[in-house]
Amino acid sequence: MPSTFPPRTDPLWRLTAACDADTRPDRLDLLVGVYRDDTGSSPVFGAVAEAERSLAARSPSKEYLGPAGNRDFTNALTRMLFPSEDVRARTLAVQSVAGTGALRLLAELLAATGPDRTVHLGTPAYLNHRTILTAAGLRVREYPMLLPDGRPDPNASLAAVATAAPGDALLIQGCCHNPTGAAMPTQSWEELAHAMAERGVVPFVDHAYFGLGDGLDADLEGVRRMLDILPEAVVAVSASKAWGLYNERTGCAIVVSDDPARRALAHSVLETTARAGYSQPPDHGARIVHEILTRPELRTRWSAELDSMRLRLGHLREGLTDALVRRTASAEFEPLREQRGMFLRLPLSEDQMGRLRDEHGIHGLPSGRINLAGVPTLLVDRVADAITRVHGGPEAARPVLTGARG
């Protein structure tokens, strides 16, 4: 069919295709947010494999579940996310096609219930946030969320709320910010919640990396405190990272409201949107998560596996930061220690990231974001050498004997 519009491709997948075409045997793919172990594999959790064996032995039905998906899954997930019975009593949840699907469902809900609504989005932002919001017909107002040294500006979100109109939404990443690795202290969540309550601003929380920052409960504490304060919120949840279910496309769209009538309206909009978009979400990943969360021995095993991933990421971050500080004698890399989760945002320009790719076979995003989990422990020094060379520090690539700790 003829079109007057030029073809568009997602920049991340375009870069991924270029990485796949790189034939250098030592090239490193640090692009896509997938957890990898030191062998370069994205492992299946032991708890996930056991849950799958158990589900296969019981041969659960494959019948339709409806647009809201697996209610056992959404109930178990909301119990884990929100221990407060008061919060859960104000909550409705529908299963979605991963976290991206949850974001789109909730964006459609915000657009349907607030045609003049603006979503305030801190930048740098996750690549897909603006695309999803604008596709739903929402206006987006961006604001800078970082200080010049790369650390998060503690007042940026408060300033955005102060200029927002009643009914506007503020998009907040729950933890381990993508792409900056920024983490918001619990006290800041409470301050922000009070400011939003006063202004009438709705939080739109994107929670994808819980468990990979400071621990499962610590990563969820901020949003839990916020929901204790605010009458309404929407929360998009992904099961991709915390359970390693990347290609199972498992997520959840959650609405919290004090008003039962508004919850009923929200449920209707979410189901109608899902029905028009994909009819209903896939069930396999949802059954796996439900099985893990409701069997104590599997939940304990899953929690330990998730914690081991978090600890490895911490060791890699400290090791790479130590190596960069030693090589460059620059304080510019010190803020990397404060970042959390799977991603590390390097203080490199787009041109320097291009040199990292072209000269050293290390593929990251032009923004400076790399997937830290894609760095094998034994290659920390090689990565540090390459970063130092493109950064141009005074002691570029000085040999050292130690790599990442742990």
Side-chain angles (χ1 to χ4, degrees), residues 12-24 27-29 31-32 36 363:
L12 176 59
W13 296 110
R14 187 167 61 247
L15 290 167
T16 300
C19 180
D20 290 341
D22 187 343
T23 58
R24 286 172 287 186
R27 70 113 165 100
L28 271 179
D29 179 358
L31 288 163
V32 181
R36 301 189 187 281
H363 292 253

Side-chain angles (χ1 to χ4, degrees), residues 1-183:
M1 184 173 67
S3 173
T4 58
F5 298 100
R8 292 184 297 175
T9 57
D10 184 285
L12 176 59
W13 296 110
R14 187 167 61 247
L15 290 167
T16 300
C19 180
D20 290 341
D22 187 343
T23 58
R24 286 172 287 186
D26 60 348
R27 70 113 165 100
L28 271 179
D29 179 358
L30 307 183
L31 288 163
V32 181
V34 172
Y35 181 83
R36 301 189 187 281
D37 60 21
D38 269 345
T39 70
S41 299
S42 181
V44 176
F45 281 61
V48 168
E50 177 58 32
E52 288 185 301
R53 286 190 290 269
S54 177
L55 290 169
R58 298 204 303 271
S59 298
S61 172
K62 302 292 186 181
E63 67 177 300
Y64 290 127
L65 295 176
N70 187 324
R71 297 178 193 276
D72 291 336
F73 157 73
T74 55
N75 288 338
L77 185 64
T78 52
R79 282 196 300 272
M80 184 204 78
L81 295 170
F82 312 131
S84 167
E85 292 184 7
D86 175 67
V87 170
R88 291 203 308 275
R90 301 185 287 125
T91 295
L92 72 89
V94 302
Q95 186 192 341
S96 61
V97 181
T100 301
L103 287 167
R104 182 59 187 267
L105 287 180
L106 294 170
E108 294 284 354
L109 172 65
L110 290 175
T113 56
D116 298 322
R117 196 189 308 270
T118 295
V119 179
H120 299 259
L121 177 66
T123 58
Y126 166 50
L127 281 173
N128 214 16
H129 274 155
R130 172 177 270 278
T131 302
I132 292 169
L133 296 171
T134 56
L138 290 162
R139 290 195 297 263
V140 178
R141 180 180 178 185
E142 296 181 347
Y143 65 92
M145 57 167 284
L146 297 180
L147 297 168
D149 66 359
R151 290 183 168 92
D153 182 347
N155 298 313
S157 295
L158 290 170
V161 169
T163 62
D168 281 358
L170 180 74
L171 201 150
I172 312 165
Q173 293 193 38
C175 66
C176 308
H177 186 274
N178 175 8
T180 70

Side-chain angles (χ1 to χ4, degrees), residues 254-406:
I254 298 172
V255 177
V256 181
S257 176
D258 287 347
D259 186 339
R262 290 173 69 83
R263 291 200 302 273
L265 172 63
H267 192 265
S268 174
V269 172
L270 293 176
E271 281 204 323
T272 301
T273 304
R275 177 65 171 154
Y278 51 83
S279 186
Q280 60 184 307
D283 188 42
H284 185 64
R287 287 186 182 272
I288 291 170
V289 173
H290 173 260
E291 186 83 357
I292 289 171
L293 291 179
T294 56
R295 286 178 53 185
E297 73 281 8
L298 283 185
R299 183 163 179 165
T300 298
R301 182 177 182 182
W302 163 71
S303 180
E305 291 178 293
L306 184 62
D307 211 41
S308 70
M309 292 164 57
R310 177 183 65 84
L311 291 172
R312 176 174 173 268
L313 290 170
H315 290 319
L316 285 170
R317 181 177 295 101
E318 283 296 317
L320 184 57
T321 304
D322 285 345
L324 288 168
V325 170
R326 286 196 302 270
R327 284 163 169 77
T328 64
S330 170
E332 194 174 3
F333 292 99
E334 283 293 345
L336 300 183
R337 300 188 195 278
E338 300 174 21
Q339 297 181 21
R340 292 290 182 272
M342 196 177 295
F343 299 118
L344 199 68
R345 188 167 187 263
L346 300 169
L348 299 180
S349 67
E350 182 173 344
D351 178 67
Q352 289 170 324
M353 290 300 294
R355 288 183 56 203
L356 198 63
R357 176 192 64 239
D358 297 339
E359 298 173 16
H360 302 281
I362 297 173
H363 292 253
L365 293 187
S367 65
R369 192 197 85 173
I370 61 171
N371 176 16
L372 187 61
V375 180
T377 304
L378 292 177
L379 295 185
V380 166
D381 281 339
R382 177 202 155 191
V383 172
D385 284 344
I387 294 170
T388 302
R389 288 190 177 101
V390 302
H391 179 262
E395 300 180 50
R398 181 182 64 182
V400 292
L401 300 177
T402 56
R405 293 192 296 257

